[in-house]
Amino acid sequence: MREEWIKYLEQLEENRGWPMIGYIYPVTDEVTTTHLQQQDQNKQTMEQSLISELLQEAWRVAVDFGCGTGANFFLFDGHRQRKSLLVGLDPDCERLEWARQTADYQLMFVQSYTLCGGVEILENIPDKLKADVVLCSQVLGHVSEEQTQRIIKGFHRILTKKGRCGIAIPIIGEAFKENPQAEDWSGKEDFTHLVDMAKSPGDRGFRRQITLEEFNRAADKPETGLLPVRSFLVPEFPNPLEIKLPCELSAPPPTIAHLIKPLFDVEKSTIYSIHKDPGSPIFPIGDLFIQLGKK
Ligand SMILES: C[S@@+](CC[C@H](N)C(=O)[O-])C[C@H]1O[C@@H](n2cnc3c(N)ncnc32)[C@H](O)[C@@H]1O
């Protein structure tokens, strides 16, 4: 299976036989890491431990969809599976090039193949090529509704019968509407906004609310420095002052659950981070990891 995958991917790369969308992710990892350190220093460790759990059972082929610069690649190597293949995909070709170098430096056990592209690659993978596990970490919070639907269907199609999938997304609770940055938000739908990377968390204008339609457009063609974010509404967000992380939710946010549930069994939905903007009260805003098994 590994050889067949590589043969297919090599041929794809040579022919450039898929539409390139010319997508450029609007921020660098340095800026997001700086913000993260101000908001929740444990986020990355918690996220990595949930990804490691997803990868614990033996697998032969894994896909890191929207792998960015390859920050999670070392986790795929952690179980020392010499005969396994990691396929990293990202539509931002410059970030993908970083990922390729990360793989060259870091991976000692698994073999890797990186390719610049997005959902169109998933959709064109021949039926006979299957993956045992798909990771999609912090991607769906930055893509349009149309892309999200296609991506989830694409994961289902390329996974083996017992395939597993891990999705990390930003989440929000209704009480965030008390935050001055959410003045016009009803608290009843996903909070779609632009994060101004020139500002710091807690600053006025750090988050600017936009409509879902505006978000869909911005996600397809982001403006440098302005990161479009869709924070998925969790109707029963636990009190962030009392929450103990990791915290299990009974179901994923409704706007993603309706896409997932016909295709996957939800194994768990774990809140693993609460963001604390410096100088501001603690609001229900954070991150969720959803672990899925193919139905
Ligand atoms: C926040 S970064 C996460 C990177 C990596 N998964 C991680 O956890 O470090 C979001 C990534 O999603 C990619 N991305 C944005 N839109 C996408 C799309 N429509 N399809 C696939 N990936 C996309 C971006 O290029 C970027 O690298």
Side-chain angles (χ1 to χ4, degrees), residues 182-227:
E183 270 169 2
D184 301 323
W185 183 51
S186 68
K188 303 282 179 223
E189 74 244 8
D190 295 343
F191 181 62
T192 41
H193 58 290
L194 292 174
V195 173
D196 184 343
M197 292 292 169
K199 300 199 156 102
S200 295
D203 284 357
R204 236 189 126 71
F206 176 66
R207 296 186 187 86
R208 182 162 65 79
Q209 198 200 341
I210 52 176
T211 64
L212 185 54
E213 289 69 32
E214 287 168 331
F215 167 82
N216 287 334
R217 280 196 295 275
D220 284 345
K221 244 191 177 337
E223 208 178 300
T224 310
L226 292 178
L227 181 65

Side-chain angles (χ1 to χ4, degrees), residues 23 25 65-68 71-72 90-92 95 137-139 143 147:
Y23 172 88
Y25 189 61
F65 185 81
C67 64
N72 291 316
D90 199 284
D92 180 327
R95 285 169 71 77
S137 168
Q138 296 301 351
V139 177
V143 308
Q147 283 273 310

Side-chain angles (χ1 to χ4, degrees), residues 9 31 44-45 72 87 93 97 122 125 141 143 232 261 270 279:
L9 294 167
V31 181
Q44 210 173 13
T45 320
N72 291 316
V87 180
C93 299
E97 186 48 43
L122 290 186
I125 287 170
V143 308
F232 291 86
K261 284 198 169 157
T270 313

